[in-house]
Amino acid sequence: MWLLGTARANLVFFPQPEDVPGLGYAILSHTWGEEEETFQKSSPPWFNPRDRLTPKVRSFLKLAEQHGHEYAWVDTCCINKDSSSELSEGINSMFRYYALSDVCYVYLSDVRYSDTDLDGMWDAFETSRWHERGWTLQELIASRILVFYSKEWICLGTKYELADRLEEATEISAAVLRFESPFTDETIATRISWAARRFTTRPEDAAYSLFGLFGVNMPTLYGEGRHAFCRLLMEISKTSRDPSIFLLGERIPVVRMRRPSTAIASHGWTMKDLHVVALPPYTAPCRRLLPPKTSPFVSMQPRIS
């Protein structure tokens, strides 16, 4: 993996995360903006490029250095996206990168710190677009020490401290966020439901961003579109006997529903929409599974009493 030296922002290669000396490395979680660093910009010939970086990455490296870290990882400039092999390796390893980091700093560019309007600040926190992006889900789950920062780089709290607020924003249980309950104990349907309201710029990333949540490794094939999600489900089914993978359709509460057919008709649903069916090994059901006008995922966590 490539890391940035926090002092000079020079790129340094390590064969694997465990080889990083000292305190290990800090890692950044963020949403992309219009101007981002790239691997090519961070490469030579710059001798001391930290002053040439975007304010976000420069502030992140300074913070990591202040906390004693010699190295740091940023997805925008530590993966050579011009190389298909390096890009595929980075995507397949990303969950591991976050899990083995010493600390993960979350930069919330749309949350302003305020000590006079706390309600407004926390409302902005719970509705931040960081909670809506597909890639940030694995970063939230994987990182053991995760610290949230406002637009001004003021600390808002850790994942452990803010677990209840995060549960409200993401529907992921506070016990999972606090590592009191392993996320792998949750059903496949539940883990996929965590991504139900999240979006990715490219349709393939809707599947690729979930590799780590299911322990899946598979080649990335940009251009395959929504078929990537079908490949993901088929790969999961090879190693899992969890029947919840076959729950396809819309999310509806059926607690105390005395007349299901009447309730379905009143909402404009059909039995075809809501029936529990197996996923055949071809792409047609996946188009149903990934409605483009709503979300790249369909929530799969029915409440049944």
Side-chain angles (χ1 to χ4, degrees):
M1 67 184 300
W2 289 99
L3 292 173
L4 291 171
T6 54
R8 297 189 296 111
N10 56 307
L11 281 167
V12 182
F13 181 77
F14 293 93
Q16 53 188 357
E18 293 88 346
D19 295 334
V20 181
L23 295 178
Y25 57 93
I27 200 165
L28 177 66
S29 177
H30 65 117
T31 55
W32 288 24
E34 295 182 359
E35 182 184 8
E36 294 291 348
E37 296 295 333
T38 65
F39 182 88
Q40 284 68 28
K41 287 182 181 179
S42 303
S43 299
W46 304 123
F47 176 71
N48 187 1
R50 194 169 85 169
D51 294 338
R52 305 174 189 266
L53 299 175
T54 60
K56 176 172 58 178
V57 177
R58 185 167 62 246
S59 298
F60 164 63
L61 292 181
K62 287 182 178 179
L63 181 65
E65 185 181 32
Q66 290 171 2
H67 291 169
H69 295 94
E70 295 182 42
Y71 301 99
W73 192 89
V74 186
D75 59 348
T76 54
C77 49
C78 291
I79 298 177
N80 183 6
K81 299 176 181 64
D82 288 347
S83 168
S84 58
S85 60
E86 289 193 30
L87 177 60
S88 184
E89 179 183 357
I91 288 175
N92 277 277
S93 303
M94 204 173 297
F95 189 93
R96 184 164 172 258
Y97 290 168
Y98 279 89
L100 295 179
S101 66
D102 186 66
V103 61
C104 175
Y105 299 123
V106 178
Y107 179 64
L108 303 177
S109 59
D110 54 355
V111 178
R112 293 186 177 276
Y113 179 82
S114 175
D115 55 4
T116 58
D117 183 16
L118 292 177
D119 290 339
M121 182 183 73
W122 291 119
D123 284 345
F125 173 84
E126 293 184 13
T127 58
S128 171
R129 64 174 180 163
W130 186 85
H131 300 304
E132 300 174 353
R133 301 302 295 172
W135 287 105
T136 57
L137 173 60
Q138 66 172 355
E139 298 160 13
L140 173 65
I141 297 295
S143 306
R144 284 200 163 270
I145 301 178
L146 188 146
V147 189
F148 290 90
Y149 284 84
S150 69
K151 181 180 180 66
E152 303 84 3
W153 284 98
I154 298 175
C155 181
L156 300 175
T158 66
K159 177 170 72 169
Y160 188 91
E161 295 166 339
L162 301 176
D164 292 330
R165 294 186 185 276
L166 290 167
E167 182 175 4
E168 286 291 320
T170 65
E171 297 187 1
I172 302 172
S173 73
V176 169
L177 296 173
R178 291 191 174 114
F179 287 90
E180 296 167 354
S181 174
F183 76 90
T184 51
D185 286 353
E186 301 293 333
T187 65
I188 290 173
T190 297
R191 279 177 270 172
I192 290 180
S193 77
W194 294 340
R197 295 181 298 173
R198 293 175 179 262
F199 299 87
T200 58
T201 302
R202 303 191 64 167
E204 297 88 352
D205 288 336
Y208 301 164
S209 61
L210 296 179
F211 284 177
L213 267 68
F214 299 101
V216 167
N217 290 99
M218 62 187 217
T220 56
L221 304 172
Y222 282 102
E224 67 176 326
R226 302 181 187 281
H227 182 61
F229 197 77
C230 294
R231 284 204 299 131
L232 173 65
L233 293 180
M234 291 170 66
E235 198 67 27
I236 294 171
S237 67
K238 291 178 182 178
T239 58
S240 174
R241 296 181 178 274
D242 182 354
S244 72
I245 195 173
F246 300 124
L247 294 176
L248 309 181
E250 302 293 338
R251 178 181 184 180
I252 59 168
V254 294
V255 178
R256 294 183 298 277
M257 186 184 290
R258 294 183 180 180
R259 297 176 64 94
S261 58
T262 302
I264 288 170
S266 67
H267 286 82
W269 296 318
T270 67
M271 291 304 296
K272 180 180 179 181
D273 291 330
L274 304 173
H275 198 25
V276 177
V277 298
L279 179 68
Y282 48 83
T283 60
C286 292
R287 298 192 190 101
R288 170 74 182 88
L289 185 66
L290 305 170
K293 293 183 179 179
T294 54
S295 165
F297 303 99
V298 168
S299 183
M300 299 166 61
Q301 190 178 10
R303 293 164 52 195
I304 302 174
S305 61

